[in-house]
Amino acid sequence: MIDYQRALLAAINDDGTSAVPNVDRKEFQRFLAVRKRKNRPLQTKPGWAKIITFLRRT
Amino acid sequence: MAEAAVGDAAVAADVRNGYGVLYRPEHRAALFANRSRIDAIELIADHWFDAKGRKAAELDLLAAEFPVTLHALKTSVGTVEGPDERYLRKIAAVAARVKPAWWSDHLCITRIGTTNLGAFAPLPRTREAVDVVVRNIRRIRERVPVPFAVENPTLAYDVGGAEYAPAEFLTAITEEADCGILLDLENLHADEENLGHEPTTFIAGLPLERVWEIHLAGGYRLGAEYVDAHQRAVPARTWDLYETFVRRGGRALTILEREAPLPPFENLLNELDRARLVAA
């Protein structure tokens, strides 16, 4: 279990570059996708995003 | 309040026979307006940590009006180093306030050391993992003096080298830890879609007297993946699994889990009526 946890943490930290023993790489990508979806930052309102982009350009 | 003789937990039999919803503040008014059609509610414990002022008053009102179960997200029952003591203290504080029939969390890892994984990592189905989880649940029950149930989470992947079939794994843990099961039928449906796990075999392999609660929800397909999103009506396959559970003699508090975007509350009431019909 310790080895599994260590491998899991390493794979999360390097976005799936490391392998988790006994875990299919493609299936592990699904886990990373779930993680990203669940921890997606709150979206800025589109209006504000345009204003910020405009201000940065100017 | 009548009690069921399951494990060492005095689990309220009248709550186990009920139908309810996962509480969402957006549905607050509709929930109270339809009080007679809701037997119990489930509260996400994490949402009420350190509640003060109006939020604390809301929590007290809900607990006074409805039988309550608590559902948590970050206990991490599979972590080798054990659950976070501060987290358990917060759960215990909410539990002391609302006096739930039981509380639950997922059979997975959500934390390693001080790192919050931000998702439910599956456990290897091994004897070693059973020992870790059983030890953790014993500690959980010492710290939070309320019956505890574990939920089958959606599995993003299978860990090879399994020593147990999925239902055997959950059964071994709940028998040895003497706790309950929160059976999420939509998660079984998702595991069938994503990993080819056979859900009816899973249900048949469980000690149904330990299943205190059922979760019903609806997800959607996103490319090759079936997403356990709680954003759709309960799909036909999940209703089939509910019928399978009931036909095998299962009786459990049935909770509809629905997240934003929320439909009109009437839709949820109709789904609860359907569940009542299936179980009649």
Side-chain angles (χ1 to χ4, degrees):
Chain A
M1 282 290 281
I2 288 276
D3 291 343
Y4 170 67
Q5 285 192 183
R6 280 186 185 139
L8 184 58
L9 200 53
I12 287 170
N13 285 336
D14 65 21
D15 215 19
T17 305
S18 302
V20 183
N22 291 323
V23 175
D24 180 88
R25 277 180 179 273
K26 204 170 168 187
E27 286 183 6
F28 191 75
Q29 291 303 318
R30 178 162 51 219
F31 173 76
L32 293 176
V34 170
R35 191 168 175 268
K36 279 177 188 159
R37 209 166 38 235
K38 289 196 172 186
N39 299 285
R40 196 164 37 199
L42 289 174
Q43 286 179 337
T44 312
K45 285 184 180 175
W48 280 109
K50 282 180 185 170
I51 291 167
I52 290 166
T53 306
F54 172 77
L55 289 174
R56 280 184 183 152
R57 280 186 189 149
T58 55
Chain B
M1 187 178 280
E3 292 173 355
V6 178
D8 71 348
V11 176
D14 47 354
V15 177
R16 273 188 73 175
N17 288 328
Y19 299 83
V21 293
L22 175 65
Y23 175 69
R24 293 293 175 199
E26 298 91 329
H27 277 157
R28 186 189 301 117
L31 180 73
F32 280 90
N34 291 280
R35 174 64 188 90
S36 62
R37 295 172 72 182
I38 302 291
D39 301 317
I41 57 171
E42 182 174 78
L43 300 173
I44 299 290
D46 308 52
H47 293 174
W48 303 94
F49 287 170
D50 307 315
K52 290 186 179 68
R54 289 178 66 174
K55 191 157 184 184
E58 181 182 4
L59 184 61
D60 292 341
L61 177 65
L62 290 167
E65 191 63 31
F66 296 91
V68 166
T69 63
L70 284 179
H71 192 45
L73 304 171
K74 295 177 182 172
T75 310
S76 202
V77 299
T79 299
V80 175
E81 56 271 32
D84 182 327
E85 293 288 337
R86 282 176 307 171
Y87 187 78
L88 293 182
R89 278 200 294 275
K90 285 179 185 286
I91 295 278
V94 179
R97 189 153 196 153
V98 303
K99 297 182 175 46
W102 58 82
W103 77 286
S104 59
D105 205 331
H106 305 79
L107 182 59
C108 65
I109 296 175
T110 54
R111 180 183 51 79
I112 297 174
T114 56
T115 304
N116 178 7
L117 303 189
F120 301 151
L123 290 167
R125 295 194 304 272
T126 60
R127 180 67 235 176
E128 189 188 5
V130 170
D131 291 341
V132 166
V133 175
V134 169
R135 189 184 66 220
N136 287 344
I137 291 176
R138 286 183 181 145
R139 195 198 295 182
I140 284 166
R141 288 170 53 203
E142 284 170 15
R143 303 296 194 268
V144 185
V146 172
F148 179 74
V150 277
E151 177 183 355
N152 59 301
T154 312
L155 301 172
Y157 57 82
D158 261 328
V159 186
E163 298 163 9
Y164 296 83
E168 284 178 339
F169 184 59
L170 182 55
T171 300
I173 286 166
T174 52
E175 299 272 338
E176 290 184 36
D178 197 15
C179 69
I181 296 172
L182 193 174
L183 179 60
D184 191 315
L185 295 174
E186 173 64 359
N187 287 352
L188 290 186
H189 172 217
D191 290 350
E192 180 181 38
E193 296 274 346
N194 292 326
L195 299 170
H197 290 190
E198 218 293 283
T200 54
T201 308
F202 187 96
I203 294 168
L206 293 178
L208 294 188
E209 72 282 3
R210 286 195 182 273
V211 181
W212 300 340
E213 184 175 340
I214 291 282
H215 273 174
L216 295 175
Y220 57 84
R221 183 155 284 287
L222 184 67
E225 184 191 356
Y226 185 82
V227 180
D228 161 40
H230 303 166
Q231 290 175 330
R232 301 281 196 280
V234 179
R237 179 58 172 153
T238 302
W239 282 118
D240 288 346
L241 299 178
Y242 187 63
E243 198 165 331
T244 300
F245 171 75
V246 169
R247 291 255 163 94
R248 294 191 70 88
R251 298 293 294 182
L253 171 65
T254 300
I255 291 287
L256 273 177
E257 281 189 302
R258 197 66 183 253
E259 293 175 27
L262 292 169
F265 195 67
E266 189 62 30
N267 294 22
L268 303 190
L269 291 173
N270 290 339
E271 287 189 299
L272 287 182
D273 286 346
R274 181 171 174 177
R276 286 184 174 101
L277 270 178
V278 171

